[in-house]
Amino acid sequence: MKNIVIVGAAGRMGKILVRLVQAGIEPGLKLSGAVDLWDCADLGKDAGLVAGAGEAGVLITSDLAALLPAGDVVIDFSAHHGTSGNAPRVAAAGKGLVIGTTGLNADEKKAVEQAAQKIPVVLAPNMSLGMNLLFALVRKAAEALKGKGYDVEIIERHHRRKKDSPSGTAIGLGEAAADGYGWDLKKTAVDGRRGLVGERPVEQIGFHAVRGGDIVGDHTVLFAADGECLELSHRATSRDAFARGALRAAAWVAGRTPGLYSMRDVLGV
Ligand code: NAD
């Protein structure tokens, strides 16, 4: 049995993770700890009850360090600043780490990369199998269309509560397309367009973020040429797909050699 500590346990993803661990979706995983912020209204409550999954016998606490000795793998779906602060603690304790949190800035990513020198870390902006397949398909499409006049645009749609933009998944899709084209995404990405922006240059990848309602997450990568347009799309209909991937990653990462891994490594796509 691998003992799992969930960070962000009272959040949307945290509750689904608790529910699916309790349901035994990924064999061999056991909930051993649940963490959220000190001012979270659910602090001190049973994580299973908060998740609507029945009593788990694990209370939500804000003290990650106290839970680490008994844990094997930490799954972190919290917030960018929290995740980057947690990574060195998990590394010091020598545990496995699965990070689903998005919106990490360059310094925060560096903290995760440093932790990955000491422990195995899976970092993925999107943990679903379908989306990770889409990353591979987009890279393949870009390799095939490279230099043939196909403009790349990425459109993503999410619920109104999402804090970062464009989504980490959209950036991941942009990276896949840029890799396939042999471009540097940092030099080619533009966020939306407004005003007299002039004609579209060839070496550009446009990102468009739509926010509204309770949309779980839609992503489309458009390859538009003269005379045709290829669209590759993914629609998440429930957050369970991300949580299932995260639990698969947790089972996979325990006992690996230190390093920074992606869901491509976990899923073999
Ligand atoms: P949410 O706001 O519902 O939940 C986040 C929870 O983390 C909250 O309960 C919050 O109190 C807690 N938290 C914040 N900082 C913390 C800290 N320092 N320590 C402990 N707990 C802390 O958000 P959500 O929808 O559950 O998403 C969480 C993160 O996961 C976001 O970054 C989101 O973009 C990302 N996400 C990733 C995937 C994926 O597949 N990788 C899928 C969905 C969401």
Side-chain angles (χ1 to χ4, degrees):
M1 271 294 176
K2 302 276 184 297
N3 284 338
I4 303 298
V5 177
I6 295 173
V7 180
R12 280 180 292 266
M13 282 303 300
K15 284 192 265 197
I16 297 170
L17 285 161
V18 169
R19 172 166 60 76
L20 295 187
V21 175
Q22 290 304 92
I25 288 296
E26 186 71 33
L29 302 185
K30 182 176 177 293
L31 185 68
S32 73
V35 181
D36 212 289
L37 284 176
W38 63 272
D39 61 350
C40 161
D42 292 316
L43 214 67
K45 294 185 189 164
D46 184 279
L49 293 178
V50 168
E55 197 166 340
V58 170
L59 302 183
I60 299 178
T61 161
S62 60
D63 191 354
L64 171 63
L67 299 175
L68 285 173
D72 294 304
V73 177
V74 174
I75 303 178
D76 190 330
F77 278 76
S78 59
H80 57 104
H81 37 78
T83 296
S84 58
N86 291 333
R89 287 186 203 122
V90 182
K95 309 294 176 173
L97 179 58
V98 174
I99 298 175
T101 312
T102 60
L104 276 69
N105 65 29
D107 286 342
E108 290 162 348
K109 265 195 199 131
K110 208 168 278 169
V112 171
E113 284 160 8
Q114 279 168 359
Q117 290 171 6
K118 295 191 194 127
I119 54 165
V121 181
V122 176
L123 172 69
N126 191 309
M127 301 250 171
S128 88
L129 173 58
M131 181 51 79
N132 282 280
L133 196 54
L134 184 61
F135 286 137
L137 292 172
V138 166
R139 188 174 289 104
K140 216 167 176 63
E143 280 164 8
L145 300 173
K146 179 180 180 175
K148 297 191 172 81
Y150 286 75
D151 299 324
V152 185
E153 297 282 312
I154 296 170
I155 303 126
E156 57 102 329
R157 306 193 307 164
H158 280 89
H159 53 93
R160 65 166 77 91
R161 291 183 190 84
K162 184 157 181 65
K163 296 183 184 83
D164 51 321
S165 166
S167 71
T169 304
I171 295 168
L173 289 167
E175 278 163 358
D179 276 1
Y181 273 6
W183 295 349
D184 179 351
L185 185 64
K186 285 195 192 80
K187 291 187 187 143
T188 52
V190 321
D191 290 322
R193 294 183 186 84
R194 191 194 170 106
L196 280 171
V197 293
E199 281 191 20
R200 185 192 198 285
V202 172
E203 243 179 81
Q204 186 169 83
I205 296 181
F207 288 86
H208 310 275
V210 178
R211 293 290 175 266
D214 63 354
I215 301 168
V216 174
D218 297 350
H219 291 85
T220 294
V221 181
L222 214 116
F223 290 91
D226 292 337
E228 70 169 355
C229 182
L230 170 66
E231 293 188 23
L232 298 174
S233 292
H234 176 274
R235 171 164 295 175
T237 52
S238 126
R239 290 186 177 82
D240 283 24
F242 311 131
R244 282 170 187 267
L247 296 181
R248 172 68 56 84
W252 181 90
V253 83
R256 297 263 155 193
T257 49
L260 192 58
Y261 299 98
S262 72
M263 281 307 280
R264 272 199 287 161
D265 300 310
V266 175
L267 299 169
V269 291

